[in-house]
Amino acid sequence: MNEKIDWAACVDERIKAENITEENFMSSLEKDGIEFIHLSLEEKMLQQANTTKYSNAISIKQGFAEIPTDRFNASLAEEGFILIDKDVESIPLEASTTIYYTEVTTASSNYPSYNKTNAQDSLTTAA
Amino acid sequence: MYLYLLFNTNLPIPAKTTTVYHGTSKQDAESIIKTGFKSSTGNHHWLGDGVYFFTESATCPQPQERAEEWAIASAWDNGSHRYTEGAVLMVEVEIPDEDPRFYLDLNTPNGIALFNIIRDRFQELSFATAKRGFKPKEMFKDGTIINWGRNHLKFDFSLISGDFYVKNKLERIKFFNCRIPNSTFLVIFDTALIKSTTLIKTIPNIDKL
């Protein structure tokens, strides 16, 4: 099929034909069983932290500049994230016997990598 | 004669078919042979509602093996096994039309363009009602968006295909995560497109594998 189709117009026509508006969009999805929640800024930050366990705390923090660092750290700690490093503010905890830690970041890198190790080893290495 | 066939445009164009594979328990495979497939439903599925098959592509050159691995992986459930005998079904599927309004192939320019527009509109409407978010456990919205396109925008997606990373049993156990795809799904919403189903392999002692 090589026909050039204006998909945006196609979708917009259907939105109009089905009378989907900002006002009824949420309620129509909720009828399908999709649940929405009201999120505070801090809750959004935690949501992002929980769904990006393998990325780093700095990049999450950059997306929530309005939240003071001490509140950011405290909220993550309450969720089970362990803070061990001054350069990178948190490490996510996946299981009781396994933790993640980061190598010391270089000045040129804002995006350090996490290494998965045995808890004892990582603490020793980090020290 | 050949020229007649070539230029007689009134002749019906033979429908294309493709062979796809489905991994499941032996018990469910036998039930499918008797009564047919039932759609999986729910927004958490990769490509929304439908019956899921592995299909051949550059990403997935051995779909039968992927279906076998899926039968083994889906038996495993956090240390126990939901079933101990698996099976692989080979299925012939009719591909009726390449128009992405019916066959949404996310590996084609038209297919991904249509999906991206639906996603854009879904986001615009979601974000317009600010201060509301989705439940954190619902990590991926692909299935939600496709179901929205089908149920609310009335797109008649009979078939959908797309590439995903699908874990085998060991990868599940070891928490091995990747994003570069290793599988191509063909998802069938209109089960009338399924022309034949054959049990081609049983997998005994899955709990020992």
Side-chain angles (χ1 to χ4, degrees), chain B residues 4 15 20 32 126 168 172:
Chain B
Y4 169 77
V20 295
I32 289 166
S126 296
N168 64 25
R172 286 186 176 198

Side-chain angles (χ1 to χ4, degrees), chain A residues 41-104:
Chain A
L41 190 63
E42 200 152 337
E43 285 170 330
K44 283 182 183 173
M45 180 270 290
L46 286 173
Q47 180 179 0
Q48 190 176 338
N50 273 316
T51 55
T52 54
K53 283 186 176 178
Y54 303 100
S55 64
N56 65 70
I58 288 175
S59 64
I60 296 169
K61 180 70 181 70
Q62 284 172 342
F64 296 91
E66 306 95 316
I67 301 178
T69 301
D70 55 345
R71 239 178 75 200
F72 175 81
N73 286 340
S75 297
L76 284 173
E78 280 175 20
E79 283 290 298
F81 288 75
I82 293 179
L83 315 174
I84 60 161
D85 192 296
K86 288 177 184 173
D87 297 320
V88 175
E89 293 158 294
S90 77
I91 51 169
L93 179 68
E94 187 181 69
S96 58
T97 56
T98 308
I99 66 166
Y100 295 79
Y101 80 105
T102 180
E103 293 171 343
V104 175

Side-chain angles (χ1 to χ4, degrees), chain A residues 7 12 14 26 32 36-37, chain B residues 110 121 129 133-134 152 154:
Chain A
W7 293 119
D12 289 340
R14 285 168 187 255
M26 288 289 180
D32 290 350
F36 296 90
I37 51 172
Chain B
N110 263 321
R121 296 297 182 267
T129 45
F134 295 91
H152 293 276
K154 309 298 183 195

Side-chain angles (χ1 to χ4, degrees), chain A residues 1-5 7-12 14-15 18 20-23 25-30 32-39 44 47 50-51 54 94 116, chain B residues 43 98-101 109-110 113-114 117-118 121-122 124-129 131-139 144 148 151-156 174-175 177:
Chain A
M1 181 179 161
N2 299 316
E3 188 185 350
K4 183 81 175 170
I5 294 175
W7 293 119
C10 172
V11 171
D12 289 340
R14 285 168 187 255
I15 288 174
E18 299 301 324
I20 297 169
T21 64
E22 290 179 7
E23 286 70 37
F25 172 73
M26 288 289 180
S27 59
S28 68
L29 284 185
E30 282 169 339
D32 290 350
I34 296 171
E35 295 179 75
F36 296 90
I37 51 172
H38 292 274
L39 290 175
K44 283 182 183 173
Q47 180 179 0
N50 273 316
T51 55
Y54 303 100
E94 187 181 69
K116 188 176 181 181
Chain B
N43 293 315
E98 292 181 3
D99 188 322
R101 283 165 288 197
N110 263 321
L114 175 55
I117 290 291
I118 296 173
R121 296 297 182 267
F122 183 90
E124 287 162 13
L125 288 161
S126 296
F127 300 163
T129 45
K131 296 181 181 176
R132 283 187 128 185
F134 295 91
K135 281 206 161 182
K137 67 175 181 179
E138 297 165 356
M139 282 180 67
T144 305
W148 182 68
N151 298 331
H152 293 276
L153 302 185
K154 309 298 183 195
F155 279 101
D156 183 19
K174 302 286 186 186
F175 297 104
N177 295 309

Side-chain angles (χ1 to χ4, degrees), chain B residues 64-84:
Chain B
Q64 184 182 331
E65 287 181 13
R66 299 302 301 155
E68 190 174 336
E69 287 178 357
W70 174 258
I72 295 167
S74 62
W76 188 79
D77 184 20
N78 286 322
S80 61
H81 289 82
R82 296 191 295 118
Y83 52 85
T84 56

